[in-house]
Protein backbone atom coordinates (compact mmCIF):
# COMPACT_ATOMS: atom_id res chain seq x y z
CA UNK A 1 0.00 0.00 0.00
CA UNK A 2 1.32 3.44 -0.93
CA UNK A 3 2.50 5.60 1.95
CA UNK A 4 3.63 9.13 2.63
CA UNK A 5 7.36 9.01 3.34
CA UNK A 6 9.02 11.40 5.79
CA UNK A 7 12.60 11.75 6.93
CA UNK A 8 14.25 11.90 9.31
CA UNK A 9 12.04 10.21 11.91
CA UNK A 10 13.82 11.99 14.75
CA UNK A 11 15.91 15.14 14.87
CA UNK A 12 17.70 16.69 17.80
CA UNK A 13 19.20 20.11 17.34
CA UNK A 14 20.38 23.07 19.35
CA UNK A 15 18.55 26.36 19.28
CA UNK A 16 19.66 28.77 16.57
CA UNK A 17 20.63 25.89 14.27
CA UNK A 18 18.93 25.17 10.95
CA UNK A 19 16.85 22.02 10.41
CA UNK A 20 15.10 20.55 7.38
CA UNK A 21 12.45 17.92 6.96
CA UNK A 22 11.59 16.02 3.80
CA UNK A 23 8.29 14.56 2.61
CA UNK A 24 7.44 12.38 -0.38
CA UNK A 25 3.66 12.15 -0.89
CA UNK A 26 1.72 9.26 -2.34
CA UNK A 27 2.37 9.07 -6.07
CA UNK A 28 -0.11 11.15 -8.04
CA UNK A 29 -1.38 13.15 -5.07
CA UNK A 30 -1.57 16.80 -6.07
CA UNK A 31 -2.14 18.27 -2.60
CA UNK A 32 0.50 18.22 0.12
CA UNK A 33 0.15 19.48 3.69
CA UNK A 34 2.63 20.20 6.48
CA UNK A 35 1.28 20.13 10.05
CA UNK A 36 2.87 20.80 13.42
CA UNK A 37 1.63 18.85 16.42
CA UNK A 38 2.67 19.95 19.89
CA UNK A 39 2.47 17.22 22.53
CA UNK A 40 -1.07 16.84 23.83
CA UNK A 41 -2.63 18.92 21.07
CA UNK A 42 -4.14 18.29 17.67
CA UNK A 43 -2.15 18.98 14.50
CA UNK A 44 -2.12 22.55 13.15
CA UNK A 45 -1.76 23.24 9.44
CA UNK A 46 1.42 25.15 8.59
CA UNK A 47 1.28 25.11 4.80
CA UNK A 48 -0.75 23.52 2.00
CA UNK A 49 0.41 23.04 -1.58
CA UNK A 50 -1.61 22.27 -4.68
CA UNK A 51 1.03 20.98 -7.11
CA UNK A 52 3.88 23.48 -6.67
CA UNK A 53 1.68 26.41 -5.60
CA UNK A 54 0.97 27.47 -2.03
CA UNK A 55 -2.76 27.34 -1.22
CA UNK A 56 -2.55 28.32 2.45
CA UNK A 57 0.42 29.37 4.56
CA UNK A 58 -1.45 31.64 6.96
CA UNK A 59 -0.14 29.81 10.06
CA UNK A 60 3.46 29.46 8.87
CA UNK A 61 5.88 31.62 10.91
CA UNK A 62 7.52 33.08 7.86
CA UNK A 63 10.34 34.81 9.73
CA UNK A 64 11.91 31.42 10.43
CA UNK A 65 9.98 28.75 8.52
CA UNK A 66 10.04 28.10 4.79
CA UNK A 67 8.53 25.38 2.64
CA UNK A 68 8.94 24.45 -0.97
CA UNK A 69 7.61 21.92 -3.45
CA UNK A 70 9.59 22.85 -6.51
CA UNK A 71 8.46 20.17 -8.96
CA UNK A 72 5.07 19.52 -7.41
CA UNK A 73 6.15 16.18 -5.99
CA UNK A 74 8.27 15.99 -2.83
CA UNK A 75 8.58 18.86 -0.37
CA UNK A 76 11.00 20.31 2.16
CA UNK A 77 10.15 22.25 5.31
CA UNK A 78 12.96 24.29 6.84
CA UNK A 79 13.38 26.08 10.14
CA UNK A 80 16.16 28.64 10.59
CA UNK A 81 16.97 29.43 13.32
CA UNK A 82 15.29 26.79 15.49
CA UNK A 83 13.85 27.89 18.82
CA UNK A 84 12.99 25.87 21.93
CA UNK A 85 9.27 26.30 21.20
CA UNK A 86 9.65 24.53 17.85
CA UNK A 87 9.97 21.17 19.59
CA UNK A 88 7.05 19.17 18.19
CA UNK A 89 6.03 16.46 15.74
CA UNK A 90 6.03 17.64 12.14
CA UNK A 91 3.55 15.71 10.02
CA UNK A 92 3.19 15.60 6.27
CA UNK A 93 0.00 14.53 4.53
CA UNK A 94 -1.21 14.25 0.96
CA UNK A 95 -4.53 13.94 -0.82
CA UNK A 96 -5.72 13.60 -4.42
CA UNK A 97 -6.45 16.72 -6.44
CA UNK A 98 -9.02 18.92 -4.61
CA UNK A 99 -10.94 19.82 -7.75
CA UNK A 100 -13.57 17.50 -9.18
CA UNK A 101 -16.14 15.35 -7.46
CA UNK A 102 -15.94 12.43 -5.12
CA UNK A 103 -15.16 11.82 -1.49
CA UNK A 104 -11.72 10.33 -2.08
CA UNK A 105 -10.16 13.68 -2.93
CA UNK A 106 -10.76 14.93 0.61
CA UNK A 107 -9.14 12.10 2.53
CA UNK A 108 -5.70 13.07 3.83
CA UNK A 109 -3.06 10.37 4.20
CA UNK A 110 -0.42 11.05 6.82
CA UNK A 111 3.19 10.07 7.10
CA UNK A 112 4.76 8.84 10.36
CA UNK A 113 6.13 12.29 11.14
CA UNK A 114 9.44 13.81 12.24
CA UNK A 115 9.90 14.32 15.97
CA UNK A 116 11.97 17.49 16.53
CA UNK A 117 13.64 18.26 19.84
CA UNK A 118 15.34 21.64 20.20
CA UNK A 119 17.81 21.85 23.08
CA UNK B 1 -12.24 31.20 13.63
CA UNK B 2 -13.14 27.51 13.84
CA UNK B 3 -12.68 25.97 17.28
CA UNK B 4 -13.04 22.25 17.91
CA UNK B 5 -13.71 20.64 21.28
CA UNK B 6 -13.60 16.94 22.02
CA UNK B 7 -15.20 15.36 25.07
CA UNK B 8 -14.11 13.42 27.02
CA UNK B 9 -10.39 14.15 26.96
CA UNK B 10 -9.68 10.61 28.16
CA UNK B 11 -11.74 7.47 28.50
CA UNK B 12 -11.02 4.03 29.94
CA UNK B 13 -13.44 1.17 29.31
CA UNK B 14 -13.44 -2.61 29.66
CA UNK B 15 -13.23 -4.69 26.52
CA UNK B 16 -16.57 -5.28 24.80
CA UNK B 17 -18.22 -2.01 25.76
CA UNK B 18 -19.89 0.27 23.23
CA UNK B 19 -18.71 3.86 23.49
CA UNK B 20 -19.33 7.33 22.11
CA UNK B 21 -16.80 10.07 21.49
CA UNK B 22 -18.05 13.62 21.08
CA UNK B 23 -16.85 16.48 18.92
CA UNK B 24 -18.24 20.00 18.72
CA UNK B 25 -17.22 22.85 16.42
CA UNK B 26 -18.11 26.54 16.39
CA UNK B 27 -18.37 27.29 12.65
CA UNK B 28 -21.03 25.21 10.89
CA UNK B 29 -19.90 26.30 7.40
CA UNK B 30 -17.91 23.11 6.82
CA UNK B 31 -17.53 20.93 3.73
CA UNK B 32 -16.83 17.69 5.56
CA UNK B 33 -15.72 16.25 8.86
CA UNK B 34 -13.12 13.57 9.34
CA UNK B 35 -12.30 11.27 12.23
CA UNK B 36 -8.73 10.08 12.64
CA UNK B 37 -6.92 7.64 14.88
CA UNK B 38 -3.40 8.31 16.18
CA UNK B 39 -1.25 5.72 17.92
CA UNK B 40 1.48 7.00 20.30
CA UNK B 41 4.35 8.65 18.42
CA UNK B 42 2.80 7.87 15.05
CA UNK B 43 1.02 9.67 12.25
CA UNK B 44 -2.74 9.84 11.76
CA UNK B 45 -4.95 7.26 10.10
CA UNK B 46 -8.22 8.37 8.51
CA UNK B 47 -11.19 6.41 9.88
CA UNK B 48 -14.27 8.04 8.42
CA UNK B 49 -15.13 11.08 6.32
CA UNK B 50 -18.63 12.56 6.35
CA UNK B 51 -19.59 15.05 3.65
CA UNK B 52 -21.55 18.09 4.84
CA UNK B 53 -24.67 16.77 3.06
CA UNK B 54 -24.52 13.44 4.89
CA UNK B 55 -25.80 12.51 8.33
CA UNK B 56 -23.62 9.49 9.03
CA UNK B 57 -20.96 7.11 7.77
CA UNK B 58 -20.19 3.55 8.83
CA UNK B 59 -17.09 1.42 8.58
CA UNK B 60 -17.09 -1.92 10.36
CA UNK B 61 -17.58 -1.32 14.09
CA UNK B 62 -17.34 2.46 13.65
CA UNK B 63 -20.21 4.83 13.00
CA UNK B 64 -19.85 8.59 12.74
CA UNK B 65 -22.73 11.02 12.73
CA UNK B 66 -22.82 14.69 11.80
CA UNK B 67 -25.28 17.40 12.83
CA UNK B 68 -23.84 20.32 10.91
CA UNK B 69 -26.40 22.91 12.03
CA UNK B 70 -25.73 22.30 15.71
CA UNK B 71 -21.97 21.88 15.22
CA UNK B 72 -21.72 18.35 16.55
CA UNK B 73 -20.34 14.99 15.52
CA UNK B 74 -20.12 11.69 17.35
CA UNK B 75 -18.01 8.61 16.79
CA UNK B 76 -19.60 5.39 17.99
CA UNK B 77 -17.38 2.36 18.53
CA UNK B 78 -19.17 -0.94 18.98
CA UNK B 79 -17.80 -3.87 20.94
CA UNK B 80 -14.51 -2.17 21.81
CA UNK B 81 -11.25 -4.14 21.69
CA UNK B 82 -7.82 -3.50 23.26
CA UNK B 83 -6.53 -2.78 19.74
CA UNK B 84 -8.85 0.23 19.63
CA UNK B 85 -6.70 1.96 22.25
CA UNK B 86 -5.41 5.20 20.69
CA UNK B 87 -6.14 8.91 20.47
CA UNK B 88 -9.14 9.80 18.33
CA UNK B 89 -9.18 13.18 16.62
CA UNK B 90 -12.00 14.92 14.81
CA UNK B 91 -11.39 17.58 12.18
CA UNK B 92 -13.95 19.65 10.29
CA UNK B 93 -12.78 20.56 6.79
CA UNK B 94 -13.25 23.77 4.81
CA UNK B 95 -13.47 24.62 1.13
CA UNK B 96 -9.77 24.00 0.44
CA UNK B 97 -9.81 20.80 2.51
CA UNK B 98 -8.05 22.63 5.35
CA UNK B 99 -8.65 20.64 8.54
CA UNK B 100 -8.99 22.14 12.02
CA UNK B 101 -8.26 19.52 14.66
CA UNK B 102 -9.54 19.07 18.17
CA UNK B 103 -7.20 18.03 20.97
CA UNK B 104 -8.46 14.45 20.81
CA UNK B 105 -9.88 11.77 23.08
CA UNK B 106 -7.37 9.31 24.55
CA UNK B 107 -9.08 5.91 24.65
CA UNK B 108 -7.84 2.94 26.68
CA UNK B 109 -9.67 -0.37 26.31
CA UNK B 110 -8.81 -2.73 29.13
CA UNK B 111 -8.64 -6.49 28.37
Amino acid sequence: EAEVAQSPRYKITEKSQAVAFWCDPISGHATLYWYRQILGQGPELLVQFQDESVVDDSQLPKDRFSAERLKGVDSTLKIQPAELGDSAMYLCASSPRTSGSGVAKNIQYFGAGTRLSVL
Amino acid sequence: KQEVTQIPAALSVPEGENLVLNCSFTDSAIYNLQWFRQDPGKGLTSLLLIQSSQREQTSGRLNASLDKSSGRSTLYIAASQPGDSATYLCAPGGATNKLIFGTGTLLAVQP
Side-chain angles (χ1 to χ4, degrees):
Chain A
E1 183 175 310
E3 295 182 344
V4 176
Q6 287 190 249
S7 66
R9 285 297 315 277
Y10 304 94
K11 180 70 178 178
I12 300 174
T13 191
E14 295 184 346
K15 64 179 182 178
S16 80
Q17 296 298 304
V19 293
F21 314 128
W22 177 79
C23 173
D24 191 12
I26 293 173
S27 179
H29 280 193
T31 310
L32 184 147
Y33 315 78
W34 282 104
Y35 291 87
R36 176 172 60 186
Q37 185 177 26
I38 295 170
L39 194 62
Q41 298 183 18
E44 176 190 33
L45 181 69
L46 292 176
V47 62
Q48 176 180 345
F49 291 93
Q50 175 88 0
D51 300 310
E52 64 274 11
S53 300
V54 173
V55 174
D56 187 334
D57 64 357
S58 57
Q59 300 302 309
L60 188 71
K62 298 181 185 64
D63 56 335
R64 297 185 301 107
F65 286 63
S66 64
E68 59 184 16
R69 192 185 185 200
L70 293 176
K71 296 183 179 180
V73 181
D74 59 340
S75 175
T76 302
L77 178 69
K78 298 179 181 178
I79 307 175
Q80 183 174 17
E83 296 181 353
L84 296 178
D86 296 332
S87 294
M89 176 78 88
Y90 291 82
L91 295 162
C92 179
S94 69
S95 64
R97 193 168 299 278
T98 54
S99 60
S101 61
V103 170
K105 66 181 176 67
N106 297 126
I107 297 175
Q108 296 188 22
Y109 298 85
F110 282 77
T114 296
R115 170 73 67 188
L116 173 67
S117 296
V118 182
L119 306 177
Chain B
K1 178 185 175 184
Q2 179 75 278
E3 293 183 0
V4 182
T5 302
Q6 291 190 244
I7 295 173
L11 182 63
S12 181
V13 300
E15 182 177 4
E17 272 205 9
N18 303 324
L19 55 100
V20 175
L21 307 181
N22 297 291
C23 172
S24 61
F25 47 95
T26 55
D27 185 353
S28 61
I30 63 171
Y31 280 63
N32 58 61
L33 186 140
Q34 297 187 50
W35 282 92
F36 293 86
R37 168 189 172 132
Q38 186 173 31
D39 293 292
K42 301 288 181 61
L44 281 66
T45 300
S46 180
L47 297 173
L48 289 164
L49 182 153
I50 312 175
Q51 297 284 48
S52 60
S53 58
Q54 298 175 314
R55 296 287 289 184
E56 65 180 81
Q57 277 286 331
T58 298
S59 176
R61 294 182 294 108
L62 305 180
N63 176 276
S65 67
L66 174 64
D67 185 341
K68 182 181 168 184
S69 61
S70 68
R72 296 177 187 274
S73 177
T74 61
L75 179 66
Y76 175 83
I77 303 177
S80 58
Q81 303 172 358
D84 295 330
S85 299
T87 296
Y88 290 81
L89 296 152
C90 79
T96 60
N97 208 29
K98 177 178 181 177
L99 298 179
I100 304 296
F101 284 86
T103 53
T105 293
L106 177 61
L107 173 65
V109 180
Q110 308 300 327

